[in-house]
Amino acid sequence: MSIPSPPKMATEMALVKPISKFSSSTPIFTNSRYVKFTTVRMSSTSQPTTKTAVKGGKKAAKTAIKETLLTPRFYTTDFDEMETLFNTEINKNLNQSEFEALLQEFKTDYNQTHFVRNKEFKEAADKIDGPLRQIFVEFLERSCTAEFSGFLLYKELGRRLKKTNPVVAEIFSLMSRDEARHAGFLNKGLSDFNLALDLGFLTKARKYTFFKPKFIFYATYLSEKIGYWRYITIYRHLKENPEYQCYPIFKYFENWCQDENRHGDFFSALLTAQPQFLNDWKAKLWSRFFCLSVYVTMYLNDCQRTAFYEGIGLDTKEFDMHVIIETNRTTARIFPAVLDVENPEFKRRLDKMVEINEQLIAAGESDDIPLVKNLKRIPLIAALASELLATYLMPPIESGSVDFAEFEPQLVY
């Protein structure tokens, strides 16, 4: 559950999830003195640094990963406003019986015994080499960071809302449990490649982006639903094409994506409990904005990593468009307006943004002096902003309804 920032339309939106039995300040891995893998620390600086630390007599390199606009971020919100929104004495729109039903769904904990590793993981990782190995490492790093970001936010919401609305608070706590499992599972995957993210360090070192509660609702709903469609699409593809099943983590995506789906359904209930976030012209503008932010960020991110998707037998752009279209159709059930993503003009503009983004990256990696680099970037940034604005201004699809009689939470696949 990573959330895009309004001032930066083409910025981040990764899938975000977390760590169960661990406190938000506790590193997920407590390495024995025999462990020899690298601990990766993602710093809030833009420049990678390297230093050496001694663990059990052995030296382990600790590196900081370069952070960009598309890097998964950590979020905070106005918790006082959240308490007001979920105060049953103030907000008469809260359907407590619906939240209680959702709480029982989360308490059932369908995936309690699902995330169990076996020897296939390490064996498969050892067979992945060359450029694809680094690509897999990056996939695990980014996904783990995004999952952990969700864990931290949900955990804090569960703590802050405990007195105001215990039912909603417990749901947030149980969602943080789910996110924690996802992050822990991904971090364990990194250990197959002799790496691990220092999540305790991440908690303290990363900068937190502030989002108003209504923006948290829009963006997190989209994050969870787009996560569902990404996971289930990859799972179905690899089930039909087992020759591309190069790492067993994908076998877990069928059950995994149902956590995303349940989380999205919960945020549907939160939005319908706050009709002021859905029923006016401002809601339509913000809904389209967040759709654009999420879809563009995913498309630009993935097109920088086509080797990963090709490595599992997918065409990156076809995969992304399928995910965007399905997510948009799902989102249209709750958002008052969505983008017309099935209009060919939408994809044409996405592809143009990819071209501009590639030129921006090339300019940044050139040997020119900083002044020349910045001068080269200015027209490219203007061109990217122009494409974003033109895409946003495309005629939208009027949608959404607070009547969910025909859309009860259910398994989609």
Side-chain angles (χ1 to χ4, degrees):
M1 179 223 72
S2 170
I3 305 172
S5 173
K8 303 170 185 173
M9 264 192 170
T11 60
E12 62 282 354
M13 187 75 197
L15 310 169
V16 50
K17 309 328 85 186
I19 294 281
S20 166
K21 302 172 289 188
F22 303 84
S23 71
S24 61
S25 61
T26 305
I28 288 183
F29 281 107
T30 52
N31 306 326
S32 75
R33 62 191 180 92
Y34 299 106
V35 174
K36 300 180 182 178
F37 55 76
T38 300
T39 301
V40 181
R41 290 188 172 190
M42 298 182 68
S43 79
S44 57
T45 62
S46 60
Q47 296 298 323
T49 60
T50 303
K51 59 183 179 180
T52 302
V54 178
K55 289 198 175 188
K58 301 291 182 180
K59 289 186 176 182
K62 294 186 178 183
T63 61
I65 298 172
K66 187 174 181 179
E67 193 170 302
T68 71
L69 285 178
L70 297 175
T71 301
R73 296 174 186 266
F74 288 7
Y75 299 90
T76 186
T77 190
D78 185 335
F79 293 103
D80 291 336
E81 183 182 343
M82 281 286 192
E83 288 187 43
T84 300
L85 291 174
F86 293 108
N87 187 317
T88 54
E89 295 181 2
I90 297 174
N91 186 353
K92 302 303 181 182
N93 292 309
L94 292 173
N95 186 341
Q96 284 299 108
S97 61
E98 181 180 11
F99 288 131
E100 287 168 4
L102 285 165
L103 176 58
Q104 293 307 311
E105 181 84 359
F106 280 99
K107 281 183 174 181
T108 303
D109 197 4
Y110 297 101
N111 287 331
Q112 183 175 12
T113 60
H114 179 60
F115 295 97
V116 179
R117 288 163 48 88
N118 54 47
K119 65 179 183 178
E120 284 185 58
F121 282 81
K122 182 61 177 172
E123 291 173 354
D126 289 341
K127 293 177 183 177
I128 301 174
D129 54 18
L132 188 59
R133 185 176 180 87
Q134 180 55 39
I135 291 166
F136 259 85
V137 167
E138 185 180 354
F139 161 73
L140 292 169
E141 286 172 350
R142 292 176 63 83
S143 298
C144 182
T145 304
E147 297 284 344
F148 190 63
S149 169
F151 160 68
L152 293 177
L153 178 63
Y154 294 161
K155 182 172 182 281
E156 185 64 13
L157 283 167
R159 187 180 73 82
R160 294 292 192 103
L161 297 173
K162 191 171 291 185
K163 292 183 179 178
T164 305
N165 194 318
V167 174
V168 170
E170 189 171 0
I171 293 175
F172 273 118
S173 296
L174 293 175
M175 288 202 305
S176 76
R177 169 205 68 194
D178 297 340
E179 304 291 315
R181 284 187 187 138
H182 301 169
F185 199 61
L186 288 159
N187 213 355
K188 280 287 189 179
L190 278 168
S191 71
D192 298 325
F193 296 86
N194 303 318
L195 295 164
L197 281 178
D198 187 340
L199 298 178
F201 173 83
L202 270 183
T203 304
K204 299 173 184 177
R206 290 294 290 273
K207 294 179 180 178
Y208 286 71
T209 301
F210 177 84
F211 259 31
K212 289 176 66 65
K214 70 176 179 179
F215 298 149
I216 290 285
F217 294 163
Y218 294 143
T220 307
Y221 171 83
L222 277 166
S223 175
E224 299 290 358
K225 288 301 184 181
I226 208 168
Y228 168 83
W229 283 109
R230 286 175 66 87
Y231 288 154
I232 196 59
T233 301
I234 291 174
Y235 174 81
R236 288 169 175 168
H237 162 73
L238 293 176
K239 188 175 182 180
E240 294 176 3
N241 303 277
E243 66 274 18
Y244 290 106
Q245 187 73 259
C246 53
Y247 188 62
I249 198 168
F250 304 116
K251 296 178 181 178
Y252 291 74
F253 277 12
E254 184 180 29
N255 285 40
W256 190 328
C257 73
Q258 292 309 324
D259 285 340
E260 315 291 325
N261 203 36
R262 278 185 286 272
H263 295 181
D265 289 340
F266 172 58
F267 278 98
S268 290
L270 295 186
L271 281 165
T272 57
Q274 311 295 337
Q276 70 275 20
F277 296 161
L278 296 173
N279 61 8
D280 62 14
W281 63 270
K282 289 185 290 185
K284 291 182 178 181
L285 295 179
W286 281 117
S287 294
R288 289 161 55 198
F289 168 78
F290 277 97
C291 284
L292 181 65
S293 298
V294 171
Y295 302 160
V296 169
T297 301
M298 183 185 75
Y299 203 81
L300 295 184
N301 257 323
D302 288 353
C303 285
Q304 291 178 40
R305 297 165 179 83
T306 55
F308 172 78
Y309 296 96
E310 291 170 358
I312 58 174
L314 284 167
D315 179 285
T316 307
K317 291 184 177 180
E318 287 184 7
F319 166 74
D320 273 15
M321 283 309 302
H322 169 75
V323 170
I324 287 172
I325 289 170
E326 294 298 342
T327 302
N328 204 60
R329 289 174 178 173
T330 302
T331 301
R333 294 164 173 160
I334 177 69
F335 280 19
V338 294
L339 302 175
D340 186 5
V341 301
E342 297 181 61
N343 183 334
E345 181 70 7
F346 178 80
K347 185 178 185 302
R348 190 194 70 75
R349 292 195 177 280
L350 283 182
D351 289 336
K352 183 62 177 178
M353 289 181 222
V354 170
E355 292 178 17
I356 298 170
N357 193 48
E358 289 172 349
Q359 294 173 44
L360 275 169
I361 294 170
E365 294 176 347
S366 69
D367 295 328
D368 297 323
I369 61 173
L371 176 61
V372 174
K373 286 184 179 181
N374 289 333
L375 288 174
K376 286 182 177 180
R377 286 191 183 111
I378 291 173
L380 294 172
I381 292 172
L384 183 59
S386 176
E387 289 296 332
L388 282 165
L389 181 60
T391 308
Y392 181 76
L393 293 177
M394 287 176 60
I397 296 175
E398 299 289 326
S399 60
S401 171
V402 295
D403 180 6
F404 278 74
E406 297 180 2
F407 181 60
E408 297 300 328
Q410 58 184 308
L411 301 185
V412 179
Y413 66 88

